[in-house]
Amino acid sequence: MKLLVLNGPNLNFLGIREPDIYGRQDFAALEEFIRSAAQEFQVEVELFQSNYEGALVEKIQWAYGKMDGIVINPAAYTHTSVAILDALKAVSLPAVEVHLSDVNSRETFRRISYPGMACERTFSGLGFEGYRQAIQYLKETYGA
Ligand code: DQA
């Protein structure tokens, strides 16, 4: 099974940005964590991070016909991006949304998720572990 794992804007600043909210581990540590979770569940992962909405849309389109599912932390685009929602709907691959922080217990504008409307599950507030649970869910639901 092949999964695309997408991370949106400012996640490359993990460890630097608001560590009380997002933790002290950096983005390289997150990527390592995701790779080891993928190994645990015997899935192949393609990792992609961008600060650009269009680049995330293009990567979702790229996944069509190549990947079996998508794990996405759209970061700030969660709360604004109909384009990412439409891209997920367009490829119609099983998708799971992840947030490091608990978006529902923060500012009210973080309670709306457009990409989440095309996702089967959301793991929020679990830190890195949310990515592991997302991979596990897709493997157990769709994996060979
Ligand atoms: C985030 C939550 C978003 O509200 C925020 O804009 C982010 C990160 C999270 O992982 O907790 O950049 O997606």
Side-chain angles (χ1 to χ4, degrees):
M1 171 177 227
K2 292 184 191 164
L3 299 179
L4 172 62
V5 181
L6 290 172
N7 280 299
N10 300 305
L11 288 167
N12 57 318
F13 257 54
L14 276 184
I16 301 165
R17 75 181 290 216
E18 302 179 90
D20 292 342
I21 296 174
Y22 299 114
R24 275 158 221 287
Q25 290 186 278
D26 66 10
F27 186 67
L30 175 61
E31 289 204 318
E32 206 177 295
F33 179 92
I34 293 166
R35 286 191 199 285
S36 90
Q39 252 187 348
E40 178 187 349
F41 295 108
Q42 295 180 308
V43 306
E44 284 176 46
V45 277
E46 165 86 8
L47 304 187
F48 183 75
Q49 188 277 331
S50 181
N51 295 322
Y52 296 91
E53 185 178 21
L56 294 163
V57 167
E58 287 190 344
K59 196 69 185 183
I60 292 166
Q61 292 181 359
W62 167 87
Y64 180 72
K66 294 190 190 74
M67 298 282 126
D68 304 303
I70 296 176
V71 173
I72 181 166
N73 182 347
Y77 292 134
T78 303
H79 318 299
T80 62
S81 184
V82 176
I84 292 175
L85 167 63
D86 284 351
L88 290 171
K89 287 168 109 173
V91 298
S92 96
L93 288 166
V96 175
E97 178 184 23
V98 175
H99 299 288
L100 294 163
S101 65
D102 178 6
V103 281
N104 289 316
S105 67
R106 298 179 62 192
E107 302 95 324
T108 49
F109 69 83
R110 292 187 203 274
R111 290 190 196 150
I112 179 101
S113 170
Y114 292 101
M117 293 172 195
C119 292
E120 295 186 12
R121 290 282 184 284
T122 296
F123 295 102
S124 177
L126 303 175
F128 287 10
E129 173 62 18
Y131 291 83
R132 192 179 155 275
Q133 295 199 15
I135 290 169
Q136 180 174 22
Y137 169 79
L138 287 169
K139 172 70 183 190
E140 288 178 359
T141 312
Y142 297 100

